């Protein structure tokens, strides 16, 4: 057999070989509950984030990519600033988990009120509680409360497939076998969003995904976030989460449903008081 034929034969044989999976220091995990515990612990290693990124939105209302500055701290502190192509501010969202403030540059208006999912959707075309949005940005997948769990191994992709079951609803988690990080989450049986994480890099001593994609099929909407220059687990600058309106900008108060509230009239001041 000449060298060319030998090379073709070797390639053919190896194509049928199973892909070698690196399970890391823990070795193969066979119990669903143990994998869930270790994965949840891996997700909890990042508590704060600060830096720059690119934000891409695809929705029926419009699509596009903007530059963004982001700061997040568990459980619900969040600041997102958006800039246009010329680095001019488009909008700034700040929330402490209870209340929110949103500056819309084009309207020159500052909205404020309860940090409900409806109000936060003024900024992003998704309806999520602030704490859940912070978790997603910090690489943490929200889990359904499971009644039971099943575990399989996807040999072709080299990933664990951990499925959480609660009644007719299930959550399928694709987990990296070495780093025990969720790379994909899909909930079936309920109209909720799916998550994908990619671009894992060591940042601040922990492995952290630099690409996040949230897909909401029921709303035909996806939100992509790519971090370009960030730090994690540093003490947060709490001044970034100040909910005060910019000086000279009109303030509009809204209720939990996003409806504008009438301005508060102060009682007249009597002379000499």
């Amino acid at each position: 057999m000449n060298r060319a034929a030998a090379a073709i034969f070797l390639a053919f044989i190896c194509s049928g070989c199973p892909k070698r999976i690196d399970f890391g220091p823990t070795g193969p995990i066979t119990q669903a509950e143990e994998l869930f515990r270790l994965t949840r612990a891996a997700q909890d290693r990042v508590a704060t984030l600060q830096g720059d990124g690119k934000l891409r939105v695809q929705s029926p209302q419009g699509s596009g990519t903007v530059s963004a500055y982001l700061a997040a701290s568990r459980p619900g502190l969040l600041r997102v600033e958006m800039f246009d192509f010329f680095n001019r501010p488009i909008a700034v969202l700040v929330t402490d988990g209870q209340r929110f403030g949103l500056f819309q540059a084009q309207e020159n208006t500052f909205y404020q009120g309860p940090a409900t999912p409806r109000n936060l959707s003024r900024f992003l075309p998704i309806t999520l509680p602030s704490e859940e949005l912070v978790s997603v940005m910090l690489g943490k997948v929200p889990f359904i409360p499971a009644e039971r769990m099943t575990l399989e191994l996807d040999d072709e992709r080299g990933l664990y497939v951990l499925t959480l079951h609660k009644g007719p609803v299930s959550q399928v988690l694709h987990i990296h076998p070495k780093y025990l990080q969720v790379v994909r989450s899909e909930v079936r049986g309920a109209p909720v969003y799916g998550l994908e994480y990619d671009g894992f890099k060591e940042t601040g001593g922990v492995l952290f995904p630099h690409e996040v994609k949230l897909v909401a099929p029921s709303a035909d909407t996806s939100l992509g976030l790519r971090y370009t220059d960030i730090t994690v687990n540093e003490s947060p600058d709490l001044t970034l989460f100040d909910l005060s309106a910019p000086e000279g900008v009109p303030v509009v108060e809204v209720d939990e449903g996003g409806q504008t509230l009438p301005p508060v009239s102060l009682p007249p001041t009597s002379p000499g008081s």
Side-chain angles (χ1 to χ4, degrees):
M1 182 182 296
N2 60 36
R3 291 185 178 180
I8 294 173
F9 178 75
L10 182 60
F12 175 78
I13 292 297
C14 289
S15 66
C17 297
K19 182 179 179 180
R20 182 180 179 277
I21 300 176
D22 184 358
F23 291 99
T26 61
I29 298 173
T30 58
Q31 299 299 315
E33 290 76 11
E34 180 186 5
L35 178 61
F36 179 74
R37 176 181 60 82
L38 293 172
T39 301
R40 185 169 55 184
Q43 289 198 138
D44 287 338
R45 291 173 186 156
V46 176
T48 67
L49 175 150
Q50 184 174 326
D52 301 317
K54 295 287 186 180
L55 186 63
R56 176 167 179 77
V57 174
Q58 291 181 298
S59 73
Q61 292 74 36
S63 302
T65 302
V66 297
S67 298
Y69 173 81
L70 311 110
S73 180
R74 291 197 317 221
L77 294 177
L78 176 64
R79 181 185 185 93
V80 182
E81 303 177 17
M82 288 185 182
F83 304 92
D84 65 14
F85 178 79
F86 300 102
N87 206 36
R88 295 174 301 200
I90 300 172
V92 180
L93 170 71
V94 182
T95 177
D96 61 3
Q98 301 299 317
R99 290 184 61 78
F100 87 104
L102 172 61
F103 171 62
Q104 294 279 20
Q106 188 172 8
E107 302 175 21
N108 191 39
T109 302
F110 186 81
Y111 296 92
Q112 64 181 18
T116 59
R118 178 69 177 270
N119 281 331
L120 297 186
S121 69
R122 285 175 173 267
F123 183 75
L124 295 171
I126 53 174
T127 306
L128 288 181
S130 60
E131 292 188 4
E132 200 163 316
L133 184 56
V134 168
S135 291
V136 169
M137 291 176 58
L138 294 177
K140 184 174 182 178
V141 176
F143 299 126
I144 66 171
E147 298 168 339
R148 62 186 181 89
M149 308 177 187
T150 56
L151 174 60
E152 298 176 359
L153 184 63
D154 186 335
D155 292 304
E156 183 178 347
R157 293 180 175 83
L159 297 170
Y160 289 119
V161 181
L162 177 66
T163 305
L164 312 182
H165 302 268
K166 180 175 177 56
V169 179
S170 62
Q171 183 176 15
V172 183
L173 304 167
H174 293 79
I175 300 172
H176 194 288
K178 180 178 180 180
Y179 303 116
L180 303 182
Q181 295 270 10
V182 177
V183 299
R184 185 180 179 190
S185 169
E186 178 187 1
V187 178
R188 301 170 181 172
V192 295
Y193 60 88
L195 284 170
E196 296 179 15
Y197 291 103
D198 203 351
F200 286 87
K201 301 176 185 177
E202 186 171 327
T203 305
V206 297
L207 195 71
F208 185 76
H210 282 58
E211 297 179 24
V212 183
K213 185 176 182 180
L214 185 152
V215 181
S218 60
D220 194 23
T221 297
S222 69
L223 179 67
L225 180 58
R226 178 169 60 87
Y227 298 117
T228 56
D229 184 15
I230 60 169
T231 59
V232 300
N233 287 341
E234 294 188 352
S235 298
D237 179 0
L238 296 181
T239 62
L240 292 172
F241 309 107
D242 183 3
L243 293 170
S244 302
E247 186 176 353
V249 175
V251 176
V252 175
E253 186 79 22
V254 296
D255 62 16
E256 293 183 354
Q259 298 299 311
T260 302
L261 295 173
V264 177
S265 299
L266 298 176
T269 303
S270 58
S273 62

